[in-house]
Amino acid sequence: MLEVTGVRVALSELDGTDKHERSACKRALAKRLRVGADELAGVERRRRSIDARKRGSVHLTFTLRAGLVGGKAHERDLLGRLARAKADRGVSLVDEDEKAFDFPAPVARAVATRPVVVGAGCAGLFCALSLARAGLAPLLVERGDDAARRAEVVGQHNRTGALDVESNIQFGVGGAGTFSDGKLQTGTRSPAHRLILETFVDAGAPCEILWDAKPHIGSDVLPRVVDDLVRQIEAAGGEVRCRCRMVDLDVSGGRLRAVTLAQEDAGGCVREERVETDCAVLACGHSARDVFELLRDRRVALERKTFAMGVRIEHSQAAIDRALWGPAAGSPVLGAAPYKLSCHLDSGRSAFSFCMCPGGYVVSAASEVGGVCTNGMSLFGRDGANANAGLLANVFPTDLPGDDPLAGIELQRRCERAAFAAGGGAYVAPAQLVGDFLQGVASSAAGRVEPTYPRGVSWGAVDGCLPDYVSNTLRAAIPQMAHHLRGFDAADAVLTGVETRSSSPARVTRGEDGQSVATAGLWPVGEGAGYAGGIMSAATDGILCAEKIVESLAR
């Protein structure tokens, strides 16, 4: 099979439909290979990206695979002809039978206790699925609800302000990623990525995530995808319990002996159960602050790490489209434009955009009573009026007082409580116009950009909700970012506070074998443990953890 990179397709050859795109790709590939379209067999899209380096000539670029009618001999002959004509750049032969990365193989022998996986975010789901397929019958516990019930609870919070501290945007099957667009773009590289994407597609995600350079599933599609992943875990022999959380660990002799689980029934009654196990995967996410406190109390090794805080920034999506796509803005082929910005200041501080949601919405991401925090989400269609992103500045371990490894969590809490107070209660969020923020004055009303935060906003200033070094870094960075994205410093863009949960402020220290350095049998994984930064890297970490567990049993 031939693989060809850099195949260019003009926007004028596309109409936004998949059928039209497949036809255009086949024509472009035939032209590139100097063959007739009827000589190509099985054209497959492996990657699709938007090239907008020249705003007057925006186009799509593909990596395509195809066979030739006549088989491998013809493919080798064609590659030789292209090489002699010096037209073989980006063209190569690939092995159709190349061994793909797969889930761990089944364990050959019986084990004394089954693994317990704590947390059903991406790391926990993929770890539990891997362990189940290996025949280890894992128990996956999640403190929040299943996806359908969770969506109801989130909707109720948005309407009334009532907050369920066990089931919300942070807690529940699918983790925080379920309600933050389901972005699958990652800066990491792993052979597991293709397997993860294929697993999502098998669970009901759109097939274009297999080739889109910036894939996403959408928060309207993700709930049924994670529901299907749960069904797969159960079909493979695993057990999944919702409204069930870990409340204690039995650690002695440097080894895990058991976990204590608290299960809430339909009537709200809680029953505790001690589960004997020598293998617990800690995939609780970085908002499970009570779990971090438990780990500290049980002397599980923890350490501080750099994290980030800031605000959500909202612009008109049409303005972002024009800034990035130029005359092509509004094309159904391109959709809503995303951006990614960063800025390194002379002070040594940095600011960056995070979890950018084209055509999306700012959401209430609170999980503790009396604290406001924000996040962003998009639906699959990304057809909202606004673009939003986290606008964050780094917080370094040296910024924090004392030696408590959880000092960063306490800083997050203080900022969230300050935002709750600034909003006036009921999870209303403080907001400020960018122009006013840059001038250091409070805002009194919206401009042309209407904030999308569902609980409403209270106009004023966001500075008092954040440490000075964060506010000052953002104030210095916005004008510099505007040099790379025209209009980013628009006076009527909206800042909504605060964004505090972008990453974990603490790491559960693990060794090269994947286990806690202080507690054998405890396997920290994912974002909460400090070893991932998004859906793909968290899912990868979950699979690799399962591999290590299987390997340890084999030994």
Side-chain angles (χ1 to χ4, degrees), residues 101-107 115 117 122-136 138 195 279-283 510 513-515 523-526 538-555:
F101 184 91
D102 205 351
F103 291 105
V107 174
V117 180
C122 280
L125 285 170
F126 275 86
C127 186
L129 180 59
S130 302
L131 294 172
R133 292 191 174 187
L136 295 178
L195 172 65
C279 178
V281 177
L282 195 65
R510 70 187 186 190
D513 63 355
Q515 299 180 72
W523 303 77
V525 300
T540 299
D541 203 42
I543 294 173
L544 297 181
C545 174
E547 276 193 338
K548 291 180 182 292
I549 292 172
V550 169
E551 289 170 3
S552 71
L553 293 172
R555 290 194 297 270

Side-chain angles (χ1 to χ4, degrees), residues 138-149:
L139 169 60
L140 173 60
V141 299
E142 168 54 52
R143 70 193 301 163
D145 286 307
D146 60 47
R149 172 60 184 151

Side-chain angles (χ1 to χ4, degrees), residues 207-389:
C207 60
E208 54 257 48
I209 68 174
L210 294 174
W211 59 79
D212 205 327
K214 296 182 179 179
H216 84 117
I217 298 176
S219 291
D220 50 339
V221 179
L222 261 169
R224 65 174 181 266
V225 171
V226 298
D227 270 348
D228 193 86
L229 291 176
V230 168
R231 286 191 290 270
Q232 290 183 40
I233 292 168
E234 293 173 333
E239 179 186 355
V240 181
R241 297 184 193 174
C242 292
R243 288 281 177 174
C244 183
R245 62 190 179 93
M246 182 182 73
V247 293
D248 206 354
L249 292 168
D250 182 350
V251 178
S252 61
R255 176 168 291 279
L256 177 70
R257 307 295 177 179
V259 298
T260 301
L261 305 176
Q263 176 75 62
E264 181 180 340
D265 63 22
C269 294
V270 178
R271 178 177 59 88
E272 289 193 0
E273 175 189 6
R274 176 184 169 91
V275 177
E276 305 287 339
T277 184
D278 57 4
C279 178
V281 177
L282 195 65
C284 59
H286 53 63
S287 289
R289 292 165 171 172
D290 55 337
V291 174
F292 284 98
E293 291 163 358
L294 170 63
L295 297 176
R296 180 183 58 188
D297 293 344
R298 295 296 175 266
R299 300 187 182 280
V300 173
L302 299 169
E303 59 185 292
R304 298 179 178 183
K305 60 179 282 292
T306 298
F307 64 107
M309 297 196 306
V311 293
R312 276 273 146 182
I313 185 167
E314 282 191 277
H315 299 83
S316 156
Q317 182 62 55
I320 298 297
D321 291 346
R322 290 192 297 272
L324 291 172
W325 302 150
S331 165
V333 178
L334 299 176
Y339 63 78
K340 184 176 182 180
L341 299 170
S342 62
C343 174
H344 303 282
L345 303 174
D346 292 339
S347 64
R349 298 279 178 181
S350 298
F352 56 94
S353 63
F354 172 79
C355 185
M356 192 272 157
C357 298
Y361 310 88
V362 176
V363 299
S364 173
S367 63
E368 292 185 343
V369 173
V372 163
C373 66
T374 63
N375 199 357
M377 63 171 265
S378 297
L379 305 182
F380 178 70
R382 289 181 164 176
D383 53 3
N386 287 0
N388 77 78

